[in-house]
């Protein structure tokens, strides 16, 4: 039923009463960074998230994620954590569906995503600040040595030597917002899943990652930012736009490094294709 390195069966026997264990169903749920499993037993509907060594290298931490989800449990933004287990955690299954391309555009246009992100950013900090340059250095060590070149080394050294933009406001971030990580229920409310990269940081960094990672055009960015500031406030659109622009190269480098590490881990060529746009924006050979 389970990967030998992720003995979910053992923990299900501890988490479930014998009557529920007998009819337990487990199915795989795959994503870009690894596998999870949906567990259905009686009225229980859970997701068991595995934290593999590869995911730990990328910055995932099941203890941190579990604690963050506990903090968020009353917000309606995230799944309720059920149990912390070795090499993973169990959370409630989030009912609903990932957003289609049309639904994603609707959430951008009607401000519902901006309001949800604004809601998250108004909550207390997690207590886990994002050490961006530390993440860069770890990722550098995990990239394919055969793909490193003098231009990339110079770029890496420049990012490591520079001081990141001074935050306008440090908030709790999700840092992986895209259509597949948004679930819409029957009432149309959206919630966020996959909190493995959540950390505290500048709200403009989160917005820069959302804009760049999803390829939002200027009009979409303007609409999103207007809805976000309408519920968050405190800064002018011009000031936030400048701060987002300052963060964009840092986001590009984070994306590039993540894809390059995943290439080295998996040898799946899709990650080289994903790495191509940030490489071009940063002036690196492809």
């Amino acid at each position: 039923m389970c990967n030998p390195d992720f003995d979910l069966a053992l923990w299900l026997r501890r988490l479930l009463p014998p009557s529920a264990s007998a009819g337990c169903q487990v199915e795989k749920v795959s994503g870009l960074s690894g596998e999870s499993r949906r567990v259905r037993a009686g009225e229980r509907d859970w997701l068991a998230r595995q934290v593999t060594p590869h995911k730990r290298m990328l910055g995932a931490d099941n203890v941190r994620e579990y604690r963050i989800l506990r903090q968020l449990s009353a917000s309606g933004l995230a799944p309720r954590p059920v149990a912390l287990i070795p090499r993973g955690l169990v959370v409630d299954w989030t009912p609903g569906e990932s957003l289609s391309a049309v639904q994603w555009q609707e959430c951008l246009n009607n401000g519902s995503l901006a309001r949800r992100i604004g809601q998250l950013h108004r909550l207390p900090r997690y207590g886990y600040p994002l050490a961006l340059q530390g993440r860069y250095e770890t990722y550098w060590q995990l990239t394919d040595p055969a793909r490193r070149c003098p231009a990339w080394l110079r770029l890496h050294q420049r990012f490591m030597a520079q001081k990141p933009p001074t935050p306008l406001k440090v908030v709790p971030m999700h840092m992986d917002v895209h259509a597949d990580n948004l679930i819409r229920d029957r009432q149309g409310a959206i919630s966020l899943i996959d909190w493995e990269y959540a950390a505290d940081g500048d709200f403009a960094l989160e917005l820069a990652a959302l804009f760049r990672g999803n390829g939002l055009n200027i009009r979409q960015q303007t609409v999103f930012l207007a809805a976000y500031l309408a519920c968050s406030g405190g800064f002018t659109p011009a000031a936030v736009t400048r701060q987002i622009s300052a963060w964009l190269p840092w986001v590009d480098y984070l994306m590039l490094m993540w894809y390059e590490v995943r290439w080295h881990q998996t040898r799946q060529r899709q990650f080289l294709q994903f790495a191509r746009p940030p490489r071009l924006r940063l002036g690196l050979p492809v």
Side-chain angles (χ1 to χ4, degrees):
M1 179 171 67
C2 296
N3 186 317
D5 294 330
F6 183 49
D7 195 355
L8 181 58
L10 171 64
W11 282 91
L12 288 179
R13 287 194 293 271
R14 299 183 183 182
L15 292 171
L16 295 171
S19 58
S21 299
C24 181
Q25 297 180 333
V26 178
E27 60 185 272
K28 291 184 178 181
V29 180
S30 298
L32 279 181
S33 60
E35 288 185 345
S36 300
R37 292 174 179 82
R38 184 176 183 178
V39 178
R40 283 180 276 197
E43 296 181 355
R44 300 166 182 82
D45 196 355
W46 295 339
L47 181 72
R49 293 179 53 80
Q50 182 181 10
V51 180
T52 64
H54 280 175
K55 293 174 76 172
R56 286 191 180 280
M57 292 175 188
L58 288 162
D61 183 316
N62 58 320
V63 175
R64 182 187 68 221
E65 185 176 359
Y66 179 79
R67 290 175 177 171
I68 286 173
L69 291 178
R70 286 189 64 183
Q71 287 183 242
L72 296 172
S73 59
S75 69
L77 288 166
R80 182 185 69 90
V82 174
L84 180 64
I85 61 178
R87 298 185 296 277
L89 69 159
V90 180
V91 302
D92 277 340
W93 178 261
T94 304
E97 297 181 346
S98 297
L99 301 190
S100 67
V102 172
Q103 291 168 336
W104 167 255
Q105 292 301 322
E106 288 176 356
C107 286
L108 291 175
N109 293 333
N110 64 24
S112 58
L113 178 58
R115 288 189 291 272
R116 287 303 248 177
I117 300 301
Q119 179 186 351
L120 170 64
H121 290 176
R122 292 192 299 275
L123 294 176
R125 300 178 192 178
Y126 307 130
Y128 295 98
L130 176 61
L132 196 55
Q133 287 165 307
R135 186 72 56 84
Y136 290 162
E137 188 58 32
T138 298
Y139 284 3
W140 175 260
Q141 300 299 326
L142 298 172
T143 58
D144 184 354
R147 287 182 55 79
R148 297 174 195 157
C149 63
W152 189 2
L153 176 59
R154 289 192 296 271
L155 180 69
H156 180 74
Q157 291 173 333
R158 187 162 73 246
F159 274 109
M160 295 303 296
Q162 286 179 345
K163 184 178 179 181
T166 301
L168 291 179
K169 182 181 180 182
V170 176
V171 301
M173 306 182 298
H174 181 277
M175 281 303 287
D176 196 16
V177 179
H178 54 79
D180 289 340
N181 279 346
L182 294 172
I183 302 295
R184 188 160 82 164
D185 64 20
R186 292 179 180 178
Q187 289 72 43
I190 56 175
S191 57
L192 288 149
I193 60 173
D194 291 2
W195 293 77
E196 58 193 353
Y197 298 117
D200 297 325
D202 187 9
F203 76 91
L205 170 58
E206 173 106 283
L207 300 188
L210 192 159
F211 291 176
R212 184 70 98 201
N214 294 285
L216 270 60
N217 60 38
I218 297 300
R219 185 195 68 80
Q220 291 171 322
Q221 293 178 32
T222 301
V223 170
F224 184 98
L225 196 55
Y228 176 90
L229 291 176
C231 65
S232 298
F235 299 95
T236 66
V240 177
T241 299
R242 287 193 298 271
Q243 186 76 348
I244 291 171
S245 296
W247 277 116
L248 284 176
W250 298 81
V251 169
D252 282 333
Y253 197 51
L254 183 64
M255 292 170 57
L256 166 64
M257 296 290 271
W258 194 92
Y259 291 136
E260 289 285 352
V261 173
R262 288 299 285 151
W263 154 253
H264 197 204
Q265 290 175 341
T266 68
R267 295 295 170 176
Q268 295 178 15
R269 297 198 65 82
Q270 63 173 332
F271 292 112
L272 295 184
Q273 293 301 316
F274 295 150
R276 184 181 177 89
R279 288 185 75 93
L280 289 172
R281 286 193 293 265
L282 292 166
L284 292 178
V286 296

